[in-house]
Amino acid sequence: MANIQVHGGRVEALPLRWRELWLKEDWWAIWLGLGIVLIAYIFFANGSSIRWLAVTPAKWSSFTELEAHFATNYVRYIAQFVAWLAVFTIALTALGHKAREFIPSFVVLYVLSVVIFALGQWDKANTYNLEPPLVALALGLLLSNVVGLPRWLDAGFRVEFYIKTGIVLLGATLPFTLILWAGPVAILQASIVSIVTFLVIYWVGVKLGLDRRLAATLGAGGAVCGVSAAIAISGAVGGKKEDAPIAITVVIIWAIAMIFVLPFVAQYLHLPAGVGGAWIGTSEFADAAGFAAAQTYGNIASSGAVAGSSDQAVFAYTLIKVVGRDVWIGIWAFILAIIATTQWERTETGRKPEAAEIWWRVPKFVFGFLVASLIITLVTTGYSLADFNKSVVPTLVAPIKDLRTWAFIFCFLSIGLTTRFRELAGAGRKPFLAFSAGAVVNVIIGFILSAIVFAAHWETVAR
Amino acid sequence: MSDKGPQRQCRSCDHFRNDAKYLETVFKGLTSLSSGYGSVRSDDGICVRHDRYLSARSSCADFLPVTSHPIAKKL
């Protein structure tokens, strides 16, 4: 019986153990991300670069310029499309998806991504707030909610897979020394916010009469990493089947609203890029949604509207959200599993929490992010700053960064394309109120910590 | 109730559904900002007997060996 594998929604009798290495998208994001980093380094070490493949639309001010760019570089785009298609198809097929469904869907996604990327490179884009993350999200929402898309197209809209791959690639552009320097403050700040937010949502939820397992599921969704945390905690505490969909609905509504609100509030408050990124990292709920907001704020910084650089916003966000918050999900799950099985229901699920749960649930792609950072930091240690900027950045770091940008655009577009508001479960007033209470507290404490207590730290991060 | 061995856990129960694609279908909106294929889910799934979302290591008195299911018998 231990070897039973029945598919089609039924059951996987085998414990995951080592099979996680090819059955979880976290690991595939690591294989893909680190694979790209290693290939980029091999080219670099041999005096070449993957720059040709990492093509992106150039800045343009007239359609003639844009047309000329694509006329000159269309072969590079085709090659890049084929490369993305190949690696994603391999990974998703291994995860159990059907290539014949993924391929046509990815064609649509890539073409739309090229359009959005090109639009973001228009020299008037900032004037009209045409930030690529926001345009991608808005276009996706419009297509999925107003125009309507066939369900089979969803096969290529893998939000989490793209964002995880992008985060691993992001690691290669972020010095490991910066993680060591800024990481402790990020973890401290994220921990304060996470604990307070969780307790507020849980307390308000229980006071409103919600089941404790639902209150905990909502609390984790607001405090740690959105939908992913909510389903992790729901499983850990043995929630009702309807708990996770309720949490999914409130997280999506709040997270998408925050994407459009936070960057512009931060701009209105003239927060430096690093401070704004840290605030978004403490206040957004899901990684993908937060990256959309942080990238938008980075673009605002690039336009000169606020102090700092695009990298500062994205790096500060990443340190808070990925390093500071995401890695705690396993610990939250373990603690709440203990409480659930010893205090809430001692006999219902016949389960003893195991410390190994911390490892099982930790988002493994974070290790890929750290390893990518370590690899690039180590191989570039001997370069002076001048040599680094002159030879390493354009031939090694910049192409990886460009590929990361593509992965993020695939993700932002997929968020909109997969979010069908009318299909979301009804959340109910009480869960929404409980979550909203935590969200408001989250934003306020996040602002105090980012813009006042640790303002000097985040203002200078990656300067 | 004591912790059961792997043979009596939900992962081996006919009432248990933890296929990632199935969960993405049942949990509407899951793919918008997350996924059924992530590490954080571990191997949790839905118990259709009790309508609960549980760890695959859970167990209860209603355990039904998956071998009794016609699909499993074909394997």
Side-chain angles (χ1 to χ4, degrees), chain A residues 32-84:
Chain A
L32 257 59
L34 292 185
I36 290 170
V37 171
L38 288 175
I39 290 170
Y41 175 66
I42 290 168
F43 272 74
F44 170 75
N46 288 285
S48 185
S49 171
I50 62 165
R51 191 170 44 198
W52 185 85
L53 194 66
V55 60
T56 61
K59 281 282 182 191
W60 58 278
S61 56
S62 69
F63 279 110
T64 312
E65 282 181 21
L66 188 63
E67 193 180 342
H69 169 81
F70 283 112
T72 308
N73 295 289
Y74 72 93
V75 176
R76 296 171 70 189
Y77 283 97
I78 292 171
Q80 187 193 79
F81 165 74
V82 170
W84 280 127

Side-chain angles (χ1 to χ4, degrees), chain A residues 170-195:
Chain A
L170 173 66
T173 64
L174 196 154
F176 197 72
T177 47
L178 178 62
I179 298 175
L180 294 178
W181 175 74
V185 172
I187 291 171
L188 175 65
Q189 177 170 332
S191 301
I192 293 169
V193 171
S194 291
I195 291 168

Side-chain angles (χ1 to χ4, degrees), chain A residues 1 4-6 9-16 20 24-26 95 97 158-160 164 213 227-228 231-232 234-235 238-241 245 248 252 255 329 345 348-352 354 360-362 364 415 418-419 423-424, chain B residues 1-4 7 10-14 16-19 21-22 24 26-44 46 51-55 57-60 63 65-67 69 71-72 75:
Chain A
M1 182 138 78
I4 292 170
Q5 292 182 74
V6 183
R10 302 202 67 78
V11 67
E12 285 279 358
L14 290 166
L16 282 169
E20 187 177 358
K24 290 291 188 183
E25 68 187 5
D26 287 56
L95 287 168
H97 296 273
R158 302 303 309 178
V159 172
E160 276 285 278
K164 287 170 181 171
R213 290 167 296 198
V227 172
S228 295
I231 61 166
S234 187
K240 292 176 185 171
K241 182 183 168 186
I248 289 169
I252 287 174
I329 185 58
E345 45 166 13
E348 283 184 51
T349 62
R351 177 177 166 232
K352 285 180 184 170
E354 300 169 61
W360 294 331
R361 293 189 189 278
V362 75
K364 311 294 189 309
I415 294 174
T418 52
T419 303
E423 291 184 6
L424 296 176
Chain B
M1 185 182 290
S2 62
D3 201 34
K4 303 293 184 183
Q7 292 80 10
C10 289
R11 74 168 71 258
S12 306
C13 178
D14 194 46
F16 194 61
R17 309 280 189 273
N18 71 345
D19 178 77
K21 194 168 187 179
Y22 169 80
E24 289 189 349
V26 173
F27 288 166
K28 298 293 183 190
L30 177 59
T31 55
S32 292
L33 291 174
S34 185
S35 160
Y37 297 83
S39 293
V40 296
R41 184 180 69 80
S42 188
D43 44 10
D44 300 341
I46 292 171
D51 277 342
R52 297 277 295 273
Y53 184 59
L54 301 166
S55 162
R57 294 164 190 80
S58 301
S59 61
C60 78
F63 176 81
V66 77
T67 44
H69 192 277
I71 298 173
L75 295 175

